[in-house]
């Protein structure tokens, strides 16, 4: 009982600290507090358009955060969702450019499957290196980001470049492949449905199926799994494949739903922000949806704040950094509030 | 009540716990317990698995907060908010499962978390000298520079105690310290305890072994189902009395019927293993018939663990062959071997046997034959729950629910869960490595009976134990291991020569 109380209290303490910290930051930036807050609220929730904008950002973020969580379950720390996102996007672009004659729904389905496969394989390489040789995936997945972004850059200067464009961008995907808009007059697209379905799928897979159990078991005590005859390496591989796969789908969805073509710097760091979202969401698929929407709201709101009160948008990143720090410190905060640990 | 005290009670109590109660999820683990310890006393705490011993000590040590009651320490009211608090006031605890850091050295472990001379550039040479002083004074030989991972459990135990002495603990709480020790090590360990006592320190020792209580303790307190049964001077009790206080009945005596051993069940030929050029097992051969229990006696660390792990397939072996019911096991993975019907009870339940953060149910899924629990890739939670509940009932596992993380079970109940998972109909070979470690006498007795009943169904059992009494009570034959080899095998027909076995354990070869 007492544990629950101090747990709730610690969350409240973190929330309070975050709000005070945010207000302080805004005040420090020298803008009027009320104007800034009004700008924030209007930016994030002021109209159906702004709410849709929040969700538009939340879609790739959710998918990338699900990716991070899929790795986390088996103890595979995936810092590489950013790179896997781009690889998935590249796969989708290739399909759109080389198979434009196929019917739209088939193109979409194919893009999702190949986006998943491409991102999955991109992550499974560090996964294999970890499973087979015990090489740290943290460094590898990070390095793979640079490689992936480099590859995108090269492709956009060469084979994938739209010859008519001045900038390094690909040509537009065939319109049949664009995901339908789900609120007219806004940019919100059917990728939202894909993200929600993905969360439900992961929830069922991880908590209801045998391979999902193996992934969790390996993440919790790999030595016991070895003694029980549960393949540790294969579970890590599977988890890394899933992990990369959902980041790949994020890239694919972002192309089909929003950008409609591949461009350099397409992700404002979704792959990294996803680590925060996954942490905030407690690695629970539904928690991750909530956390992603929250983070997207902060970012979109910060843009509103900049427009109406001149507060720099960088403030949203500073706030998120502070929140992560507080969450990591939560056990200490809990102890300080609740006294003794209750195991 | 105070006026009627016996003279004994007038002796100075350095610690008094009064009316201590603690419930988890509404179920009392400790219920209104009075407990006291005198200066220079060894006080034994006795009780079945889940009786509430560890919980009571965790309350004293500041890990849990009691729901009610008070603690008096050296005459004043005390409330320890954390282990650090307790240590500062002179109370130290060695947990049921050690908390040493394997990668660090002995000396680093002992001084971990302390600001020692020269901090942060700790003066190791000075510390090591100080440690050697303490070690000489109490007869605790240790090598400060060695890594924990290189030490045997007995040696690790010494390090844990050194850690407390280094922090100048006046009251040492030892939770099942002898469970992991060989008889020789236990003797050694008791000598240390006596030296601590004559030094004016007090010791609380938790154990399941009644003869040990009779040997070392001055007084004993018995708990049953979270309630205190009694506190007695050792002079006023007998072993029988203590065991009936503890379990509320007399122990049955296990009858081992002569075996009607069948055909060859399991056999090993010429097994050799090495690690980093050091031989672990050399040219070892053994046979276990169907329906036979082969006991492996020997001092811990003479190749028992590599042997067990080679059989289960966790470790690769360089040369040799194994077969179970004339099917060759060589080259098979752990999963394939266990599928053939091998049950494995490891000696290290926390690392090898259980996933501590998962529930009882989920740990049940680690059983090799999971065909009943999985349908088309999905976990059949209904069946899983049924089987888990059946196991909980059959082994009398004390738990609030099968959804609870295994971490929250008492040590003995964790062991029972492993037994229930690994020994089930369909196993042909059971590797039982210290199967009763940490179990109370009643539970140990039922484990031995269980092994015997599987034997009579034709199962082959390899029983590896440092507890000679256990080996003798249920084995049909006894092999003695030393330095990775089997020194000799004797039949356990009541005429086994103890001196001979003792000599073999020390490394003398016999051709029996
Ligand atoms: N943190 C906890 N949460 C829930 N239940 C707990 C917790 N800690 C202990 N218990 C329960 O309290 C009871 C007493 O446990 P305790 O560990 O004190 O037993 P014990 O006497 O030390 O047994 P053993 O000899 O097996 O170690 C057990 O039924 C256990 O499951
Ligand atoms: Mg205990």
């Amino acid at each position: 009982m007492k544990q629950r109380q101090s747990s709730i209290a610690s969350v409240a303490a973190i929330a309070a600290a975050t709000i005070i910290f945010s207000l302080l930051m805004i005040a420090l930036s020298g803008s009027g507090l009320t104007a800034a807050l009004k700008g924030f609220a209007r930016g994030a929730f002021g109209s159906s358009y702004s709410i849709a904008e929040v969700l538009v950002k939340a879609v790739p973020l959710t998918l990338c955060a699900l990716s991070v969580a899929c790795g986390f379950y088996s103890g595979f720390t995936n810092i590489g969702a950013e790179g896997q996102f781009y690889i998935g996007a590249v796969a989708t672009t290739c399909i759109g450019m080389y198979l434009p004659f196929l019917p739209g729904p088939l193109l979409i389905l194919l893009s999702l499957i190949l986006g998943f496969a491409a991102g999955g394989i991109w992550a499974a390489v560090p996964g294999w290196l970890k499973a087979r040789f015990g090489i740290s995936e943290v460094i590898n997945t990070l390095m793979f980001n640079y490689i992936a972004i480099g590859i995108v850059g090269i492709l956009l200067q060469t084979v994938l470049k739209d010859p008519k464009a001045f900038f390094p961008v690909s040509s537009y995907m065939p319109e049949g492949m664009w995901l339908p808009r789900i609120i007219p007059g806004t940019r919100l697209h059917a990728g939202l449905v894909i993200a929600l379905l993905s969360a439900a799928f992961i929830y069922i897979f991880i908590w209801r199926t045998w391979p999902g159990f193996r992934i969790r078991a390996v993440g919790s005590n790999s030595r016991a799994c070895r003694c029980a005859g549960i393949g540790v390496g294969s579970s890590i591989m599977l988890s890394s494949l899933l992990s990369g796969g959902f980041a790949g789908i994020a890239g694919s969805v972002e192309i089909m739903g929003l950008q409609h073509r591949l461009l350099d710097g397409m992700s404002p760091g979704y792959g990294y922000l996803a680590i925060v979202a996954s942490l905030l969401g407690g690695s629970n698929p539904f928690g991750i949806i909530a956390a992603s929407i929250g983070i997207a709201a902060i970012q979109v709101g910060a843009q509103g704040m900049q427009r109406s009160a001149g507060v720099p948008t960088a403030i949203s990143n500073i706030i998120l950094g502070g929140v992560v720090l507080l969450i990591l410190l939560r056990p200490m905060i809990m102890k300080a509030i609740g006294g003794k640990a209750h195991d | 009540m105070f006026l009627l005290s016996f003279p004994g009670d007038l002796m100075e109590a350095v610690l008094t716990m009064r009316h201590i109660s603690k419930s988890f999820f509404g179920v009392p683990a400790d219920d209104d317990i009075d407990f006291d310890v005198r200066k220079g006393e060894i006080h034994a705490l006795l009780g079945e698995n889940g009786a509430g011993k560890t919980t009571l000590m965790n309350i004293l040590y500041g890990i849990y907060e009691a729901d009610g009651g008070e603690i008096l320490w050296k005459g004043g009211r005390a409330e320890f908010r954390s282990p650090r608090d307790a240590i500062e006031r002179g109370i130290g605890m060695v947990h049921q499962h050690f908390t040493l850091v394997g990668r660090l050295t002995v000396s680093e472990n002992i001084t971990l978390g302390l600001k020692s001379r020269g901090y942060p550039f700790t003066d190791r040479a000075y510390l090591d000298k100080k440690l050697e002083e303490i070690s000489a004074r109490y007869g605790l030989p240790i090598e400060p520079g060695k890594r924990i991972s290189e030490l045997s459990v007995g040696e690790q135990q010494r390090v844990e105690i050194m850690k407390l002495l280094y922090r100048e603990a006046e009251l040492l709480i030892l939770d099942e310290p002898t469970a992991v020790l060989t008889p020789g090590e236990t003797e050694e360990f008791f000598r240390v305890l006596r030296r601590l006592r004559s030094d004016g320190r007090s010791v609380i020792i938790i154990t399941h072994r009644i003869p040990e209580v009779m040997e070392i303790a001055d007084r004993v307190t018995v708990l049953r189902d979270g309630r205190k049964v009694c506190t007695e001077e050792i002079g006023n009790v007998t072993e029988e009395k203590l065991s009936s206080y503890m379990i509320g009945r007399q122990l049955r005596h296990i009858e081992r019927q002569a075996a009607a051993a069948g055909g060859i069940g399991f056999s090993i030929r010429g097994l050799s293993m090495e690690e980093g050029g050091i031989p672990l097992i050399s040219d070892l051969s053994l046979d276990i018939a169907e329906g036979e229990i082969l006991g492996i006696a020997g001092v811990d660390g003479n190749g028992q663990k590599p042997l067990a792990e080679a059989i289960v397939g966790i470790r690769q072996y360089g040369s040799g062959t194994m077969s179970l019911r004339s099917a060759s096991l060589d080259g098979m993975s752990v999963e394939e071997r266990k599928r053939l019907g091998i049950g494995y009870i490891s000696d290290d339940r926390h690392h090898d046997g259980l996933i501590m953060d998962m529930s009882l149910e989920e740990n049940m899924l680690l059983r090799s034959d999971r065909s009943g629990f999985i349908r088309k890739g999905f976990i059949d939670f209904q069946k899983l729950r049924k089987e888990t509940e059946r196991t909980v009932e059959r082994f009398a596992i004390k738990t609030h629910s099968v959804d609870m993380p295994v971490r929250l079970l008492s040590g003995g109940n964790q062991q029972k869960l492993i037994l229930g998972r690994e020994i089930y109909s369909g196993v042909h070979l059971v590797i039982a490595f210290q199967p009763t470690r940490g179990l109370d006498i009643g539970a140990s007795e039922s484990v031995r009976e269980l092994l015997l009943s599987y034997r009579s169904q034709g199962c082959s059992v390899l029983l590896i134990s440092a507890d000679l009494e256990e080996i003798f009570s249920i084995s049909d034959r006894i092999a003695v291991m030393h330095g990775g080899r089997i020194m000799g095998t004797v039949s356990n027909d009541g005429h086994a020569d103890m001196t001979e076995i003792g000599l073999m354990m020390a490394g003398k070869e016999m051709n029996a």
Side-chain angles (χ1 to χ4, degrees), chain A residues 259-336:
Chain A
Q259 308 290 357
H260 303 141
R261 58 176 177 171
L262 182 65
L263 48 149
D264 235 352
M266 194 172 85
S267 155
Y270 286 133
Y272 302 112
L273 216 47
I275 301 170
V276 181
S278 173
L279 181 71
L280 268 175
S283 296
N284 175 298
F286 304 114
I288 282 174
I289 295 176
S292 299
I293 294 176
I295 291 175
I298 291 180
Q299 295 219 314
V300 174
Q303 285 166 7
M305 232 166 21
Q306 181 170 38
R307 278 194 303 273
S308 61
V311 181
T313 48
I315 222 167
S316 68
N317 289 333
I318 299 178
I319 291 171
L320 283 178
V323 172
V324 171
L325 202 65
L326 284 170
I327 289 176
L328 294 179
L329 285 172
R330 198 178 138 203
M332 269 67 91
I333 297 174
M334 219 161 129
K335 218 165 163 190

Side-chain angles (χ1 to χ4, degrees), chain B residues 46-64:
Chain B
L46 198 62
E48 293 190 276
N49 295 128
K53 308 179 292 291
T54 301
T55 305
L56 185 67
M57 291 303 109
N58 281 342
I59 289 170
L60 172 57
Y61 197 48
I63 294 175
Y64 289 143

Side-chain angles (χ1 to χ4, degrees), chain B residues 64-132:
Chain B
Y64 289 143
E65 194 172 351
D67 300 338
E70 62 172 356
I71 299 175
L72 302 173
W73 171 238
K74 294 205 262 184
R77 265 197 79 149
E79 201 213 330
F80 304 111
R81 287 182 54 84
S82 68
R84 174 171 287 241
D85 232 17
I87 290 167
E88 267 165 23
R89 309 274 305 270
I91 297 181
M93 177 160 172
V94 179
H95 293 278
Q96 201 163 352
H97 305 97
F98 300 159
T99 53
L100 299 172
V101 184
R103 281 176 293 108
L104 299 184
T105 63
V106 168
S107 145
E108 285 165 342
N109 262 285
I110 291 174
T111 55
L112 200 66
L114 297 179
K115 289 202 172 100
S116 313
R117 192 167 102 167
Y119 179 87
F121 307 104
T122 308
D123 184 352
R124 275 290 149 212
Y126 165 79
L127 286 180
D128 290 355
K129 223 180 106 228
K130 226 175 132 187
L131 291 182
E132 267 156 26

Side-chain angles (χ1 to χ4, degrees), chain A residues 2 204 207-211 213 216-217 220-221 223-230 339-343, chain B residues 62-65 80-81 309 314 334-335 338 350-352 354-355 358 362 366 370 374 377 379 381 408:
Chain A
K2 209 160 167 200
I204 292 170
W207 273 280
R208 294 272 172 250
T209 73
W210 170 242
F213 170 80
R216 281 187 298 129
S220 197
N221 181 353
R223 165 84 193 159
C225 289
R226 221 161 99 78
C227 293
I230 287 180
K340 288 179 204 186
H342 291 254
D343 195 31
Chain B
I63 294 175
Y64 289 143
E65 194 172 351
F80 304 111
R81 287 182 54 84
E309 295 195 343
I314 299 165
V334 178
E335 181 156 28
K338 292 189 104 182
H350 279 192
H351 293 111
D352 299 356
L354 295 169
I355 301 181
M358 288 193 161
E362 290 176 307
L366 297 183
R370 28 187 110 88
I374 291 161
I379 299 167
F381 280 99
L408 302 182

